[in-house]
Amino acid sequence: MNDWIEYYDSPHTIYVSKLHRDVHFRTIARDIVGYIPSKHSVVLDYACGEALSAETVADACGRLILAEPAPGVRGRLVVRFAPNTKIRVRSLDELRHMDEKSVDLAVMNSVAQYMTPDALDAAFAVIRRLLKPAGRLVLGDILQPNVGLSGDVIALLRFAAKHGFVKDALRGLARTALSDYRQLRTRIGLQRYNEAEMLAKLAAAGFTATRTPANIGHNPSRMTFVARLAFERGRNADAAS
């Protein structure tokens, strides 16, 4: 994951324009808000990136923890959200020192593809420790093995057409073809899982999960899962019987 952290911590061309960047983060924030159980919830955004619309999420919950591994991005988050008392910025290492069972909703969106399977398991273990018994993990933007780069291109162009930045998208795609992102994606690759593989991986980490009808964000070819602690699901079933 370190190569990807360095990439996102440096100037990059992943967003084709300011408009693309802004609507991307607005869309993500809107979708996350839909999973927040109450106005009093503690929400963790794991490897949140720039999180430009985090205040939208913070307005819908009691406290928002933005956890980010890239030091430069994390520094910008601290400065950007310093006036907002509902937002706290943390490194991933700091999550290990947070109180157990202190988080109602953990979100890990567009992160798993950059992590080795072992690193993802370690992240699941941290999140499992932090979740309250009735808490949920929302795991979004999971890449499927049968959907390649062309699927991402089509999704971007449809998103651009909806929001009015098609010309920028076409120019941006040309830049990306020659960029460090394309080189990293070719050299390192991205982790992909089919639905059964991710459900099994979550089960091995102590969760019971289901795939949602719609993915977080603009790419419908990717998957989102909602997971609960396995013992909590079992306890609810016993109570109902």
Side-chain angles (χ1 to χ4, degrees), residues 1-5 7-8 14 47 109-117 119-120 141 143 181 184-185 188-193 222:
M1 191 176 178
N2 287 339
D3 288 328
W4 286 114
I5 291 172
Y7 172 77
Y8 281 105
I14 198 71
N109 185 63
S110 200
V111 177
Q113 63 263 39
Y114 302 117
M115 305 178 78
T116 65
L120 184 57
D141 221 35
L143 278 66
Y181 176 84
L184 273 176
R185 185 161 173 162
I188 300 174
L190 298 172
Q191 291 294 327
R192 299 172 182 273
Y193 302 89
R222 300 185 180 188

Side-chain angles (χ1 to χ4, degrees), residues 11-183:
H12 58 75
T13 59
I14 198 71
Y15 304 112
V16 302
S17 65
K18 181 179 182 299
L19 177 58
H20 176 206
R21 183 197 65 184
D22 291 348
V23 296
H24 166 82
F25 282 107
R26 285 202 301 267
T27 300
I28 298 299
R30 178 204 65 198
D31 291 349
I32 291 173
V33 165
Y35 288 102
I36 297 175
S38 81
K39 289 283 288 184
H40 306 291
S41 298
V42 177
V43 177
L44 166 65
D45 192 345
Y46 187 102
C48 61
E50 295 284 355
L52 295 180
S53 293
E55 288 182 318
T56 298
V57 179
D59 287 344
C61 67
R63 182 157 56 101
L64 174 61
I65 301 163
L66 299 177
E68 171 54 38
V73 175
R74 193 165 61 246
R76 291 193 291 274
L77 292 172
V78 170
V79 173
R80 184 181 304 130
F81 298 118
N84 194 322
T85 58
K86 295 176 72 173
I87 298 177
R88 294 290 181 268
V89 179
R90 298 288 183 263
S91 69
L92 299 189
D93 287 340
E94 288 177 299
L95 298 183
R96 302 177 187 278
H97 305 292
M98 284 178 52
D99 291 340
E100 294 185 18
K101 300 179 177 61
S102 58
V103 170
D104 296 284
L105 174 68
V107 179
M108 182 186 287
N109 185 63
S110 200
V111 177
Q113 63 263 39
Y114 302 117
M115 305 178 78
T116 65
D118 287 347
L120 184 57
D121 288 340
F124 285 163
V126 171
I127 290 171
R128 191 178 191 281
R129 188 185 73 83
L130 292 176
L131 281 179
K132 295 179 181 179
R136 294 186 295 172
L137 163 64
V138 176
L139 182 66
D141 221 35
I142 301 300
L143 278 66
Q144 301 189 67
N146 61 336
V147 180
L149 183 59
S150 61
D152 292 344
V153 170
I154 292 169
L156 173 61
L157 291 175
R158 287 176 175 166
F159 191 56
K162 180 178 179 180
H163 293 283
F165 60 92
V166 171
K167 290 182 179 179
D168 287 334
L170 292 171
R171 286 193 290 265
L173 287 169
R175 289 196 304 270
T176 299
L178 303 173
S179 70
D180 291 344
Y181 176 84
R182 180 62 181 272
Q183 294 172 27

Side-chain angles (χ1 to χ4, degrees), residues 120-121 124-125 128 137 139 195-210 225-231:
L120 184 57
D121 288 340
F124 285 163
R128 191 178 191 281
L137 163 64
L139 182 66
E195 182 175 346
E197 288 170 339
M198 183 50 72
L199 290 173
K201 195 167 184 63
L202 285 163
F207 295 95
T208 56
T210 56
F225 297 85
V226 176
R228 295 182 183 273
L229 301 179
F231 75 85

